[in-house]
Amino acid sequence: MTIKHETQQGNPSATPTKAWWKEAVVYQVYWRSFYDSDGDGFGDMEGLIEKLDYIQGLGIDIIWLNPVFESPDLDNGYDISDYESVMPKAGTMEIWEKLLAEVHARGMKLIMDLVVNHTSMAHPWFLESRSSRDNPKRDWYIWRDGQDLHPPNNWRSYFTPSTWEWDVETEQFYFHSFATEQPDLNWENPELRQEIYRMMRFWLDKGIDGFRLDAIALLAKPESFEDAQNPEDIAYLTNNPGLHDYLQEMHREVFSRYDVVTVGETAFVSPEDGLKFVDEERGELNMLFHFEVCDEMPTWDMLRFKQVQRRWYDGLWGRGWGSQFLNNHDHTRQVTRYGNDGAFRVQSAKLLATMLHTLPGTPYVYQGEEIGMTGVRFPSINHYNDIAMRNRYEEEVSKGRDPQEVLEELQPLSRDNSRTPMQWNDSEHGGFSSGPPWIYPNPNYKDINVEKDGASPDSVYRYYQRLIALRKQYEVMVYGNFEELEPWREDEHLYVYTRTLGEETWLIVLNHADQPAILELPESWRNQERVLLLDNYAGADDEIGGPLQLGPHEARIYRMNG
Ligand code: TEU
């Protein structure tokens, strides 16, 4: 089979092909922070089973489970030491089987988070590989001679100043894109690839419904590891030649044989690159997470966000599929970073949700956003768990920088912001665990928790329920063409766009601001019959023919000529 490498732009006026995973809403469960069933301070799969009705109650279709494989847990499960067993912290294989059955019994699907760019250094494969230069698995990892004990090049990793670690046993460096304890697999080795494909089929044959593929754009490495001009710009770790050959082989050997969904975590991709991963003609992945917002937009910038949405809609629509998210286990909570987690927290949480669920692509709900959970500021580095943050803190302080200044610099984007325990009620530890949690809870759990949200007439959870129910009722929310209304294209606060499918037209109006706004619809829109399908102020609509008077962070969904 010839490898298809050519790719075109998307087709903005097309109607996409239909698929169950395009119509779905995904809920991400960072299980270690979700619910602890046995009081050991860690969330676990038994705890998740106890809360499945809560997730199903939202109208969720797919659960994305962060890694549960055996692991020393230095990077919270992203350092796998056995792909075919379960980390005792999370539970047992029997409990995993029960979880899968309970998810399916509720009509939901389960996708597993799988890390195949690297393993833990405790993985038996790596222990063999590092045991000697002529070990049969030596080439399953990436080993290079240095230059007079210096690393082969000047690349830095995501978590350390160098991607190379010296191994005294065999006197070579091994390559790691993340922590020293996470050696990269050598995807050039066909035997390694086949072993990964066999393992994937092992899990798919158990009945899972797909994979979230971790750091999947990093699989290929360059022929020669030349020095980077700017080692801080680590994009060189991604999208190297040969990547798509591996993904097309993976699709042929694994995904093509099952009715499953695959979503790639693809950092540093543009829409043009992205289409290579998800073009339905190419047989690679079904959808992707790009990071032109979460990696490159430190705080809210509406004009930049609009531009990113335009780029990706024009780049993928009609040919490939994308996702919508503004937080996950690596990125701080959206209402804090991109909304207003103070006076307008509830309205802002609902506005952001309305935006993500009405823009093109599959929406991903990260645990806790459905009750408007916020980021956190712990008082010292010792309160933080995230290996990425702790490594960076040490690196910066070792340069002689003021520790408090470094701490304050790293706090806003620390991954721990979104990893604090799920806040179920106002009892100790937020009802997450009967024992001290593995990570400090956000102190605001007394005010922000599932129980209190549920008792509120302004419940964020109930708003998500209504938003997700609309998706099931109206195909336009999934397959409708996207178009912004001209007068507000360059507005820094108002986001006004339509979704159109056949005769069905929706108008979405968002006022992303702490101030009210008055919106004069264009003549052609002003007098049209309309139905207010959803409004996060639950107020009456304005008179047809008159202006729309929007409160701070007000979001509305209209069905025009409804
Ligand atoms: O993250 C990969 C990674 O750090 C980057 O792709 C980053 O996520 C992206 O640029 C968005 O910020 C994955 C996991 O999500 C993360 O939790 C792990 O620590 C990491 O891989 C290593 O497995």
PDB file of all heavy atoms in Angstrom, residues 225-246:
ATOM      1  N   PHE A 225      20.541  13.494  14.986  1.00  0.00           N
ATOM      2  CA  PHE A 225      20.107  14.429  16.036  1.00  0.00           C
ATOM      3  C   PHE A 225      20.991  15.679  16.001  1.00  0.00           C
ATOM      4  O   PHE A 225      21.837  15.888  16.847  1.00  0.00           O
ATOM      5  CB  PHE A 225      20.215  13.740  17.390  1.00  0.00           C
ATOM      6  CG  PHE A 225      19.116  12.757  17.667  1.00  0.00           C
ATOM      7  CD1 PHE A 225      19.315  11.398  17.493  1.00  0.00           C
ATOM      8  CD2 PHE A 225      17.863  13.191  18.097  1.00  0.00           C
ATOM      9  CE1 PHE A 225      18.301  10.477  17.758  1.00  0.00           C
ATOM     10  CE2 PHE A 225      16.836  12.290  18.367  1.00  0.00           C
ATOM     11  CZ  PHE A 225      17.054  10.925  18.195  1.00  0.00           C
ATOM     12  N   GLU A 226      20.687  16.529  15.005  1.00  0.00           N
ATOM     13  CA  GLU A 226      21.474  17.778  14.898  1.00  0.00           C
ATOM     14  C   GLU A 226      21.114  18.714  16.050  1.00  0.00           C
ATOM     15  O   GLU A 226      19.973  18.661  16.546  1.00  0.00           O
ATOM     16  CB  GLU A 226      21.147  18.505  13.574  1.00  0.00           C
ATOM     17  CG  GLU A 226      21.387  17.676  12.318  1.00  0.00           C
ATOM     18  CD  GLU A 226      22.852  17.316  12.165  1.00  0.00           C
ATOM     19  OE1 GLU A 226      23.705  18.119  12.603  1.00  0.00           O
ATOM     20  OE2 GLU A 226      23.133  16.205  11.662  1.00  0.00           O
ATOM     21  N   ASP A 227      22.023  19.570  16.434  1.00  0.00           N
ATOM     22  CA  ASP A 227      21.704  20.597  17.441  1.00  0.00           C
ATOM     23  C   ASP A 227      20.572  21.484  16.954  1.00  0.00           C
ATOM     24  O   ASP A 227      20.446  21.742  15.749  1.00  0.00           O
ATOM     25  CB  ASP A 227      22.949  21.473  17.702  1.00  0.00           C
ATOM     26  CG  ASP A 227      23.787  20.907  18.837  1.00  0.00           C
ATOM     27  OD1 ASP A 227      23.352  19.883  19.424  1.00  0.00           O
ATOM     28  OD2 ASP A 227      24.856  21.476  19.128  1.00  0.00           O
ATOM     29  N   ALA A 228      19.746  21.924  17.897  1.00  0.00           N
ATOM     30  CA  ALA A 228      18.669  22.867  17.557  1.00  0.00           C
ATOM     31  C   ALA A 228      19.201  24.280  17.669  1.00  0.00           C
ATOM     32  O   ALA A 228      20.029  24.569  18.543  1.00  0.00           O
ATOM     33  CB  ALA A 228      17.508  22.691  18.531  1.00  0.00           C
ATOM     34  N   GLN A 229      18.725  25.164  16.791  1.00  0.00           N
ATOM     35  CA  GLN A 229      19.140  26.577  16.887  1.00  0.00           C
ATOM     36  C   GLN A 229      18.682  27.141  18.225  1.00  0.00           C
ATOM     37  O   GLN A 229      19.423  27.820  18.922  1.00  0.00           O
ATOM     38  CB  GLN A 229      18.511  27.363  15.747  1.00  0.00           C
ATOM     39  CG  GLN A 229      19.276  27.168  14.427  1.00  0.00           C
ATOM     40  CD  GLN A 229      19.169  28.384  13.535  1.00  0.00           C
ATOM     41  OE1 GLN A 229      18.044  28.831  13.302  1.00  0.00           O
ATOM     42  NE2 GLN A 229      20.304  28.887  13.062  1.00  0.00           N
ATOM     43  N   ASN A 230      17.426  26.830  18.560  1.00  0.00           N
ATOM     44  CA  ASN A 230      16.875  27.302  19.840  1.00  0.00           C
ATOM     45  C   ASN A 230      16.371  26.095  20.627  1.00  0.00           C
ATOM     46  O   ASN A 230      15.240  25.634  20.418  1.00  0.00           O
ATOM     47  CB  ASN A 230      15.729  28.301  19.620  1.00  0.00           C
ATOM     48  CG  ASN A 230      15.016  28.593  20.933  1.00  0.00           C
ATOM     49  OD1 ASN A 230      15.524  28.257  22.017  1.00  0.00           O
ATOM     50  ND2 ASN A 230      13.812  29.148  20.851  1.00  0.00           N
ATOM     51  N   PRO A 231      17.181  25.527  21.515  1.00  0.00           N
ATOM     52  CA  PRO A 231      16.797  24.319  22.249  1.00  0.00           C
ATOM     53  C   PRO A 231      15.519  24.488  23.061  1.00  0.00           C
ATOM     54  O   PRO A 231      14.822  23.513  23.347  1.00  0.00           O
ATOM     55  CB  PRO A 231      17.981  24.058  23.182  1.00  0.00           C
ATOM     56  CG  PRO A 231      19.087  24.913  22.706  1.00  0.00           C
ATOM     57  CD  PRO A 231      18.484  26.049  21.939  1.00  0.00           C
ATOM     58  N   GLU A 232      15.165  25.737  23.386  1.00  0.00           N
ATOM     59  CA  GLU A 232      13.942  25.952  24.181  1.00  0.00           C
ATOM     60  C   GLU A 232      12.670  25.718  23.367  1.00  0.00           C
ATOM     61  O   GLU A 232      11.607  25.488  23.923  1.00  0.00           O
ATOM     62  CB  GLU A 232      13.936  27.391  24.733  1.00  0.00           C
ATOM     63  CG  GLU A 232      14.997  27.661  25.795  1.00  0.00           C
ATOM     64  CD  GLU A 232      14.856  26.743  27.012  1.00  0.00           C
ATOM     65  OE1 GLU A 232      13.703  26.588  27.494  1.00  0.00           O
ATOM     66  OE2 GLU A 232      15.866  26.164  27.451  1.00  0.00           O
ATOM     67  N   ASP A 233      12.802  25.809  22.040  1.00  0.00           N
ATOM     68  CA  ASP A 233      11.604  25.585  21.201  1.00  0.00           C
ATOM     69  C   ASP A 233      11.541  24.100  20.869  1.00  0.00           C
ATOM     70  O   ASP A 233      12.078  23.655  19.858  1.00  0.00           O
ATOM     71  CB  ASP A 233      11.688  26.420  19.925  1.00  0.00           C
ATOM     72  CG  ASP A 233      10.534  26.104  18.979  1.00  0.00           C
ATOM     73  OD1 ASP A 233       9.638  25.308  19.391  1.00  0.00           O
ATOM     74  OD2 ASP A 233      10.532  26.612  17.843  1.00  0.00           O
ATOM     75  N   ILE A 234      10.865  23.331  21.705  1.00  0.00           N
ATOM     76  CA  ILE A 234      10.973  21.871  21.639  1.00  0.00           C
ATOM     77  C   ILE A 234      10.076  21.256  20.576  1.00  0.00           C
ATOM     78  O   ILE A 234       9.855  20.035  20.561  1.00  0.00           O
ATOM     79  CB  ILE A 234      10.702  21.228  23.012  1.00  0.00           C
ATOM     80  CG1 ILE A 234       9.292  21.571  23.490  1.00  0.00           C
ATOM     81  CG2 ILE A 234      11.748  21.648  24.022  1.00  0.00           C
ATOM     82  CD1 ILE A 234       8.912  20.812  24.760  1.00  0.00           C
ATOM     83  N   ALA A 235       9.586  22.049  19.665  1.00  0.00           N
ATOM     84  CA  ALA A 235       8.759  21.500  18.571  1.00  0.00           C
ATOM     85  C   ALA A 235       9.541  20.456  17.781  1.00  0.00           C
ATOM     86  O   ALA A 235       8.957  19.589  17.127  1.00  0.00           O
ATOM     87  CB  ALA A 235       8.291  22.634  17.659  1.00  0.00           C
ATOM     88  N   TYR A 236      10.875  20.490  17.875  1.00  0.00           N
ATOM     89  CA  TYR A 236      11.702  19.509  17.143  1.00  0.00           C
ATOM     90  C   TYR A 236      11.410  18.072  17.607  1.00  0.00           C
ATOM     91  O   TYR A 236      11.749  17.104  16.943  1.00  0.00           O
ATOM     92  CB  TYR A 236      13.191  19.820  17.294  1.00  0.00           C
ATOM     93  CG  TYR A 236      13.672  20.154  18.687  1.00  0.00           C
ATOM     94  CD1 TYR A 236      13.709  19.199  19.695  1.00  0.00           C
ATOM     95  CD2 TYR A 236      14.088  21.444  19.004  1.00  0.00           C
ATOM     96  CE1 TYR A 236      14.137  19.514  20.976  1.00  0.00           C
ATOM     97  CE2 TYR A 236      14.519  21.775  20.277  1.00  0.00           C
ATOM     98  CZ  TYR A 236      14.534  20.800  21.265  1.00  0.00           C
ATOM     99  OH  TYR A 236      14.989  21.110  22.546  1.00  0.00           O
ATOM    100  N   LEU A 237      10.747  17.948  18.762  1.00  0.00           N
ATOM    101  CA  LEU A 237      10.430  16.597  19.246  1.00  0.00           C
ATOM    102  C   LEU A 237       9.282  15.973  18.457  1.00  0.00           C
ATOM    103  O   LEU A 237       9.036  14.765  18.536  1.00  0.00           O
ATOM    104  CB  LEU A 237      10.022  16.668  20.728  1.00  0.00           C
ATOM    105  CG  LEU A 237      11.104  17.014  21.747  1.00  0.00           C
ATOM    106  CD1 LEU A 237      10.482  17.249  23.130  1.00  0.00           C
ATOM    107  CD2 LEU A 237      12.155  15.920  21.828  1.00  0.00           C
ATOM    108  N   THR A 238       8.560  16.810  17.723  1.00  0.00           N
ATOM    109  CA  THR A 238       7.308  16.317  17.121  1.00  0.00           C
ATOM    110  C   THR A 238       7.363  16.343  15.595  1.00  0.00           C
ATOM    111  O   THR A 238       8.192  17.014  14.992  1.00  0.00           O
ATOM    112  CB  THR A 238       6.132  17.229  17.545  1.00  0.00           C
ATOM    113  OG1 THR A 238       6.381  18.545  17.024  1.00  0.00           O
ATOM    114  CG2 THR A 238       6.007  17.322  19.052  1.00  0.00           C
ATOM    115  N   ASN A 239       6.444  15.569  15.001  1.00  0.00           N
ATOM    116  CA  ASN A 239       6.196  15.616  13.558  1.00  0.00           C
ATOM    117  C   ASN A 239       7.450  15.383  12.720  1.00  0.00           C
ATOM    118  O   ASN A 239       7.644  16.028  11.691  1.00  0.00           O
ATOM    119  CB  ASN A 239       5.585  16.987  13.191  1.00  0.00           C
ATOM    120  CG  ASN A 239       4.277  17.207  13.938  1.00  0.00           C
ATOM    121  OD1 ASN A 239       3.366  16.381  13.841  1.00  0.00           O
ATOM    122  ND2 ASN A 239       4.200  18.252  14.713  1.00  0.00           N
ATOM    123  N   ASN A 240       8.283  14.458  13.156  1.00  0.00           N
ATOM    124  CA  ASN A 240       9.476  14.118  12.379  1.00  0.00           C
ATOM    125  C   ASN A 240       9.144  13.142  11.256  1.00  0.00           C
ATOM    126  O   ASN A 240       8.106  12.444  11.319  1.00  0.00           O
ATOM    127  CB  ASN A 240      10.549  13.534  13.307  1.00  0.00           C
ATOM    128  CG  ASN A 240      11.239  14.632  14.111  1.00  0.00           C
ATOM    129  OD1 ASN A 240      11.885  15.514  13.545  1.00  0.00           O
ATOM    130  ND2 ASN A 240      11.069  14.598  15.426  1.00  0.00           N
ATOM    131  N   PRO A 241       9.986  13.075  10.220  1.00  0.00           N
ATOM    132  CA  PRO A 241       9.713  12.195   9.071  1.00  0.00           C
ATOM    133  C   PRO A 241       9.478  10.755   9.526  1.00  0.00           C
ATOM    134  O   PRO A 241      10.153  10.265  10.437  1.00  0.00           O
ATOM    135  CB  PRO A 241      10.994  12.308   8.231  1.00  0.00           C
ATOM    136  CG  PRO A 241      11.596  13.627   8.628  1.00  0.00           C
ATOM    137  CD  PRO A 241      11.241  13.829  10.082  1.00  0.00           C
ATOM    138  N   GLY A 242       8.490  10.134   8.906  1.00  0.00           N
ATOM    139  CA  GLY A 242       8.202   8.734   9.213  1.00  0.00           C
ATOM    140  C   GLY A 242       7.022   8.582  10.150  1.00  0.00           C
ATOM    141  O   GLY A 242       6.406   7.512  10.241  1.00  0.00           O
ATOM    142  N   LEU A 243       6.635   9.683  10.816  1.00  0.00           N
ATOM    143  CA  LEU A 243       5.532   9.587  11.795  1.00  0.00           C
ATOM    144  C   LEU A 243       4.267   9.017  11.165  1.00  0.00           C
ATOM    145  O   LEU A 243       3.643   8.092  11.707  1.00  0.00           O
ATOM    146  CB  LEU A 243       5.260  10.987  12.365  1.00  0.00           C
ATOM    147  CG  LEU A 243       4.035  11.129  13.248  1.00  0.00           C
ATOM    148  CD1 LEU A 243       4.152  10.261  14.499  1.00  0.00           C
ATOM    149  CD2 LEU A 243       3.832  12.597  13.657  1.00  0.00           C
ATOM    150  N   HIS A 244       3.897   9.534  10.021  1.00  0.00           N
ATOM    151  CA  HIS A 244       2.617   9.104   9.427  1.00  0.00           C
ATOM    152  C   HIS A 244       2.704   7.693   8.847  1.00  0.00           C
ATOM    153  O   HIS A 244       1.704   6.979   8.769  1.00  0.00           O
ATOM    154  CB  HIS A 244       2.140  10.134   8.410  1.00  0.00           C
ATOM    155  CG  HIS A 244       1.784  11.435   9.055  1.00  0.00           C
ATOM    156  ND1 HIS A 244       0.614  11.616   9.747  1.00  0.00           N
ATOM    157  CD2 HIS A 244       2.482  12.585   9.187  1.00  0.00           C
ATOM    158  CE1 HIS A 244       0.583  12.836  10.259  1.00  0.00           C
ATOM    159  NE2 HIS A 244       1.716  13.445   9.943  1.00  0.00           N
ATOM    160  N   ASP A 245       3.929   7.263   8.507  1.00  0.00           N
ATOM    161  CA  ASP A 245       4.067   5.853   8.086  1.00  0.00           C
ATOM    162  C   ASP A 245       3.713   4.952   9.265  1.00  0.00           C
ATOM    163  O   ASP A 245       2.992   3.962   9.122  1.00  0.00           O
ATOM    164  CB  ASP A 245       5.517   5.582   7.653  1.00  0.00           C
ATOM    165  CG  ASP A 245       5.942   6.512   6.528  1.00  0.00           C
ATOM    166  OD1 ASP A 245       5.066   7.194   5.960  1.00  0.00           O
ATOM    167  OD2 ASP A 245       7.147   6.565   6.241  1.00  0.00           O
ATOM    168  N   TYR A 246       4.191   5.315  10.451  1.00  0.00           N
ATOM    169  CA  TYR A 246       3.884   4.507  11.638  1.00  0.00           C
ATOM    170  C   TYR A 246       2.375   4.516  11.913  1.00  0.00           C
ATOM    171  O   TYR A 246       1.767   3.482  12.206  1.00  0.00           O
ATOM    172  CB  TYR A 246       4.618   5.044  12.868  1.00  0.00           C
ATOM    173  CG  TYR A 246       6.120   5.021  12.788  1.00  0.00           C
ATOM    174  CD1 TYR A 246       6.877   6.012  13.415  1.00  0.00           C
ATOM    175  CD2 TYR A 246       6.810   4.046  12.073  1.00  0.00           C
ATOM    176  CE1 TYR A 246       8.266   6.021  13.352  1.00  0.00           C
ATOM    177  CE2 TYR A 246       8.192   4.033  12.010  1.00  0.00           C
ATOM    178  CZ  TYR A 246       8.918   5.037  12.644  1.00  0.00           C
ATOM    179  OH  TYR A 246      10.289   5.044  12.575  1.00  0.00           O
TER     180      TYR A 246
END
